[in-house]
Amino acid sequence: MSTNQPVQATQAGGGGAPHARQLRSILITVSIALMAVIASVTGLNVAQTHMAVEFGASQSTVLWIINIYTLALAALLLPLGALGDRLGRKPMLVAGLAVFGIATVVAALAPTAEVMLTARVVSGIGAAMIMPITLAVITSTFPEEQRGKAIGVWTGVAGGGGILGMFLAALLVDVADWRWLFTLPVVLILVALAMTLKSVPNSRETSAHRFDTVGALVSIIAVTGLIFVLQEGPERGWTAPATLISLTVGLIAVIGFVAWELHRRDASLLDVRLFRKRGLSGGSLTLLAVFGVQAGIGVVLFPFFQAVLGWSGLLSTLAMMPMALAMMMSSGLAPKLAAGIGARMTMVAGIALAGVGMALMALFVSVSGGYLSVLPGLLAMGVGMGLSMTPATEAITASLPREKQGAASALNDVTREFGTTLGVALLGALVSTGYRNSIDDKLHGIPQGAADTAREGVANAVEAAGSTGPHAQDLLHAAHQSFVDGWQQAMWAGAAIMGALLVYIAFRGPKNTPSAVADETDPAEAVSAG
């Protein structure tokens, strides 16, 4: 089966392949740029109350301020990633950093919710210019024997960067003002911009075909429609007219996109025929499930830490750091393991560990056990996710030709964003349903008003308990235990998803052949000689 016709790749700057020191600088540069984008996805979560008060905004508006960034980012990843291949990866990265940086400064100074919303949309556009190019620079610059290790560093930042960014944002909110949380992305962008201009070589692909404008527009409609459903469904209701219309438009656009891309064949934005390849399909499903589970765990953990254990936002975020650090460390180790036992077996081991982690949390979580009852599961989850993400990402990028690396990287990123949004919607809904079903039988004797408030969620129950006098402890105990019941349902569902994925990857995952070359030189620690 043919893919895209040969193109002429051009590398600016001449001088052949980058030397070890330049490779290290390139990897540091794209990792810093990626960290800025990832940190901005989660950072504002810790400032919801502050924004609502300062802007006089409703909870719905505050959620839109947070979600509109992800929506714009996900919708534009594929077209802008493909444009970067054609226009030049370095110019696209520089432009994206500039757009993102300016929009972030505007958001930090925004006087109204409307200005903040606009700034977040523009930030999402800039992020969509940055994120796929960071991975495309790695795949088009690093030699094959070092590419897997560089991708391991990239996936570690992509996976753990959000938690690290949220922790730093929570720290800034606690010790200063919520607007200071934009400081981190701005500093990262300035550093990445300076290093990009100095260290990152330019490369672009000259294609024999015109850019697939129709495919790009249809893909934007498809992604926007489906992400909107996943973000707004829990709030508006899954049968609300806006939800159903968005779902219909999104699904029609997906069908139209596939049909159009099959018609375009070698001139397509994304050759959908390549999903027949085990690497592309298996890698995409793995990232969808793994990032979905990670995001869903976040939805479950923060209410547990804050409403059940009574921790602050900063301490709750700090409690997530062991999982993030385990994920980042195992992402760096995954290429060496894949070189020895093969990509498929590495993914299988990672998925199995992630599933075990969720099962451990479902089995041992308790109010009395506190943080220690979930820590072993968090660590197993972190290691498992790191081991599975790196070979999955490499399988996706390896499935598309060099001239499509921007599109390959964008597909990788879109899959992550879909997984994240889907995981929040699915596991969040399971926890809420399990909580409501469990607490109904535990509210006997509680005043009616407080009981009705408690049914809305564990945080509502904690707030209502103060007005129930002698019933306060009974209400708190009922709410805490009901939340744990809902937690267990969500964790068992996540473990089941990991089990199904394990079976699929074991039989239909990427070919289980060790890497052709297992170079011991880590690009992140490239020798400085020469």
Side-chain angles (χ1 to χ4, degrees), residues 108-132:
L109 302 174
T112 65
E114 291 75 17
V115 174
M116 176 66 85
L117 276 167
T118 303
R120 292 286 286 175
V121 171
V122 179
S123 293
I125 295 171
M129 300 168 72
I130 296 169
M131 196 172 182

Side-chain angles (χ1 to χ4, degrees), residues 171-191:
L171 179 62
L172 288 169
V173 168
D174 272 16
V175 303
D177 183 81
W178 72 270
R179 291 181 183 272
W180 282 94
L181 62 84
F182 292 102
T183 304
L184 175 64
V186 170
V187 170
L188 292 174
I189 286 298
L190 290 175
V191 173

Side-chain angles (χ1 to χ4, degrees), residues 270 274-275 277-291 347 391-393 395-397 399-400 408 411-416 418-419 501 504-505 510:
L270 175 66
L274 293 176
F275 278 97
K277 288 188 173 184
R278 291 186 172 192
L280 189 59
S281 58
S284 298
L285 281 175
T286 298
L287 291 182
L288 185 76
V290 166
F291 271 82
M347 290 170 68
T393 297
I396 292 173
T397 57
S399 297
L400 273 74
L411 175 63
N412 174 83
D413 299 334
V414 169
T415 303
R416 292 167 183 265
F418 264 115
L501 179 64
Y504 178 86
I505 295 300

Side-chain angles (χ1 to χ4, degrees), residues 15 28 33 74 82 121 170 172 240 330 341 346 364 379 408 422 436 453 455 462 468 472 514:
I28 293 172
V121 171
L172 288 169
S330 58
I341 66 174
T346 303
F364 296 115
L379 292 173
L422 183 60
R436 286 194 297 269
T453 301
R455 290 186 179 93
V462 171
T468 57

Side-chain angles (χ1 to χ4, degrees), residues 415-436:
T415 303
R416 292 167 183 265
E417 295 301 328
F418 264 115
T420 297
T421 312
L422 183 60
V424 169
L426 175 61
L427 296 189
L430 286 173
V431 171
S432 296
T433 301
Y435 171 84
R436 286 194 297 269

